[in-house]
Structure formats: C-alpha cells, structure tokens
Amino acid sequence: MTIEPIDAYREIDPTLPTVVVLATGGTIAGEGSIGKATNYRPGQLDVNALVGMAEGAHDIANVRAVQICNVNSDDITAEHWIALARAIDEMAAEPDIDGFVITHGTDTLDETAYFLNLVVKTDKPVVLTGAMRPATATSADGPMNLLQSIALAGSPQARGRGVMVVFSDGIFGGRDVRKISTFQTDAFSASDFGCMGYMIDGEPHFYNTSSKAHTTTTEFEVESIDELPKVAVAYFAIDADPALLDFLVESGARGIVIAGAGSGCYSKAWNDRIVALKDTGVPVVRSSRIGAGMITHDDAYQGNLVRSNDLAPQKAAVLLRLALTRTNDPAEIQAMFDRY
Ligand code: ASP
C-alpha cells in the first residue's frame, strides 16, 4: 500500500502535525444531481478531491493520503477492516505521523469504529468521519466534518482516547457511537453515554472518556489474523420463525447475535431452538433491538448464552467475531463483553 503526498508541490511545515487521511468511500465521496441530497452514487471522488474540498486543511496539518477502497459502506468487509487496521499500525510506527482520519460511509461507520477501537495498537488519534449529504449537494456536510477530523487527529489532546468519530461538531467514542438518523446531518449519537466532547473551530473540547478497554489495552490485534469468523445477527419480532436459527448455523455461522425485544428477549419457540442448538457449541449473544440499556441475566433463557450488556446488535457482532478468534467458550466470551 502506498502513501501518496496530497500535494507534491507543498512543502512540509514542521510546525504543523502530520495527519494521514485514509479514504474508503461513502456519501462523503458521493456524487449526484447538483444540489440534491438523495439518489446519488456513493464512493465516487478520490481522497485527493475530498481533502481539496476541506478548505483550510493544509493550514492545520501536513496532510498525506491513502485510498483504501471507494465503496458504499454496506460493502465494507472484514478484509477492508484488516487492511485498514494494518495500515494504521504500520504507519503509526513512523515518528513523523501524528494521527489518522478515515473517511467512511455512515451506514456501517459505527461498526468499523468499534472494530478499530478493539484492534489498533497505537495511542495516536484515529478519527472516523463521513457525510450525510453527497459532495454535490447544497450545503454538503462532508468538508466541515473532514476538516474537524483532521484538526482532531492532529491534536495532542486526542491521544490515548481510543478510536473516535467526528460528526456534526460532536466527538464520539468508537465503542458507544451509533447512527441514529437515516437522513439528518446530526446523524450520530452515543445514547445514554453522551458524546466525548465538541469540535469548535478546529479545537477539541473534551468532557467524557469511556472506561472500557481499547486499542493498546485489548487482547485483539490484526497481525496474526487474515479473516474473521462468520457471525449472524437474527432479528426477533412477533411470530419470527425459529427455523431461521437452524438455517444460520447450517450455513456456517460460528456465532449468533440475537437482536431481541426489550431486554434481549424472544419467544419460547426461539428459546427452545436455542437450547436445542447447545450441542453445536455456537455461542448466542442476547442483545436488544432497542439499542439502549442493559441486558441482564435471566434464568428463563438457556443455551450457550452471552449477554451483550449495553452493546447494540451490530456492535455485539463485531466483538463476537473478534472473541471467536480466541475462544468459543460462552463464559470467556462473556468476560470479553464485560471488559470491552
Ligand atoms: N450508503 C452510504 C454509505 O454508507 C451512506 C453514507 O455514507 O451516508 O456508504
């Protein structure tokens, strides 16, 4: 993978931090009908164009650029995750690089943020951002989000706080952040835990830090893994067919996350099926389709069960995939859910 200078004619300013922008696609790189915010094509513009639109970026950092891929984030795969994490680990070892920004589609940005939060091995800031409006829309939000992300990634105040997301003036923790709107520009929130702080005119203002282990203090890394185990998310609703669970196991899922109702609940029929699957050794994580609040122990539910605690289903799936690279013992996996 090559790191290309964004502007070959621009001299490095030794008084500024050096920030690497790694672009993966998404709406921030999207193009459509001029002025319109919908029915556009994500992942069209390259990283040079994105940085060029973030007016003032060169005044706050020496910006270097890497194009990882240029896709809709619904097409991001574990292969992209591993490539991204390895690129960051490798470049973080360079003393003249101060931080990283990843531009990403917003649909799955919260999953990638959590994955990186669990695996990258650096204290240097890693910041994800994106946009809700394509680059060709009136009042596109991408350039400001990117500018603020570059400022945060270059700030010494941002070191050691885990992977962060900058969106619509907010700084969010990679573990807790979730997308909460299908179209509004203020599209991310950390629900009960709140944002970590604000970005105002290129200055971070921090208020909260997650107490959960991240980056350099986790047992996960990407050096020794080339792929992640397959995990499926099963969404429970009234009359949901429990045969879905058999199908998932038969089709090779090594773990299942249940997006349960309320506090990780599901019908007697699903419970019976999960108990019947016990001998397969496939762990089943109870999480909630509500996406806020805790999942607590409940004797009514049996099987190879793990509680997601407060993690939303898509976040629980990220941790379960990493956990399965180590063990499929439900008690050991539960300890990981308690720690991360
Ligand atoms: N579908 C787009 C994506 O996730 C949405 C966005 O970026 O806002 O790539």
Side-chain angles (χ1 to χ4, degrees):
M1 187 172 295
T2 51
I3 307 170
E4 291 162 18
I6 200 78
D7 181 348
Y9 303 103
R10 192 177 293 274
E11 275 184 24
I12 298 284
D13 180 341
T15 65
L16 294 179
T18 295
V19 171
V20 183
V21 177
L22 303 103
T24 68
T27 296
I28 191 168
E31 286 184 312
S33 304
I34 299 298
K36 300 286 185 210
T38 60
N39 199 20
Y40 56 87
R41 298 172 310 283
Q44 301 296 309
L45 301 176
D46 72 9
V47 64
N48 293 315
L50 295 189
V51 177
M53 292 167 86
E55 212 179 310
H58 298 298
D59 300 328
I60 58 171
N62 299 302
V63 182
R64 296 164 73 185
V66 181
Q67 190 78 48
I68 296 284
C69 57
N70 210 354
V71 300
N72 191 349
S73 74
D74 307 292
D75 293 319
I76 290 282
T77 63
E79 214 177 311
H80 293 119
W81 280 352
I82 291 168
L84 256 179
R86 283 185 178 163
I88 291 169
D89 282 348
E90 207 174 292
M91 288 187 279
E94 292 185 32
D96 60 335
I97 292 178
D98 297 285
F100 304 90
V101 171
I102 298 159
T103 59
H104 197 290
T106 61
D107 289 351
T108 62
L109 187 148
D110 56 353
E111 294 174 54
T112 300
Y114 189 38
F115 175 76
L116 294 174
N117 193 54
L118 290 168
V119 300
V120 294
K121 292 289 164 260
T122 180
D123 280 341
K124 292 183 179 178
V126 177
V127 182
L128 284 90
T129 197
M132 292 302 285
R133 296 178 183 148
T136 44
T138 302
S139 214
D141 52 332
M144 187 56 156
N145 284 342
L146 180 53
L147 186 66
Q148 292 191 330
S149 299
I150 291 170
L152 183 62
S155 168
Q157 288 186 61
R159 287 182 73 110
R161 294 182 188 266
V163 171
M164 291 166 283
V165 171
V166 164
F167 222 91
S168 199
D169 305 321
I171 306 169
F172 301 92
R175 177 188 187 277
D176 301 325
V177 71
R178 283 195 307 125
K179 187 174 182 183
I180 51 142
S181 175
T182 59
F183 75 104
Q184 288 171 309
T185 52
D186 196 7
F188 286 82
S189 162
S191 186
D192 290 344
F193 306 120
C195 66
M196 294 175 81
Y198 304 123
M199 285 304 295
I200 302 175
D201 278 343
E203 283 297 321
H205 299 260
F206 280 106
Y207 294 91
N208 297 315
T209 307
S210 174
S211 61
K212 295 293 182 183
H214 58 74
T215 57
T216 53
T217 59
T218 76
E219 64 212 84
F220 306 118
E221 41 75 31
V222 289
E223 219 179 306
S224 64
I225 54 167
D226 291 322
E227 54 187 16
L228 289 177
K230 184 168 154 179
V231 153
V233 178
Y235 199 106
F236 176 76
I238 287 175
D239 277 342
D241 188 344
L244 170 64
L245 302 167
D246 296 318
F247 168 78
L248 295 176
V249 172
E250 279 157 22
S251 63
R254 292 198 29 219
I256 296 176
V257 175
I258 309 281
S263 53
C265 304
Y266 37 79
S267 63
K268 286 194 179 65
W270 273 42
N271 194 27
D272 291 346
R273 204 62 66 107
I274 288 166
V275 170
L277 288 174
K278 201 166 176 208
D279 290 342
T280 63
V282 172
V284 175
V285 178
R286 286 173 54 223
S287 71
S288 173
R289 63 188 196 183
I290 293 175
M294 282 290 281
I295 310 298
T296 49
H297 175 80
D298 188 335
D299 283 336
Y301 299 101
Q302 296 294 325
N304 295 327
L305 292 183
V306 175
R307 286 168 280 107
S308 78
N309 295 333
D310 61 295
L311 286 178
Q314 74 274 26
K315 297 276 185 136
V318 173
L319 179 52
L320 182 57
R321 293 183 83 176
L322 282 167
L324 285 166
T325 64
R326 304 261 150 173
T327 178
N328 68 352
D329 179 81
E332 287 176 34
I333 295 174
Q334 185 64 62
M336 293 177 189
F337 273 80
D338 294 345
R339 181 164 152 78
Y340 305 117

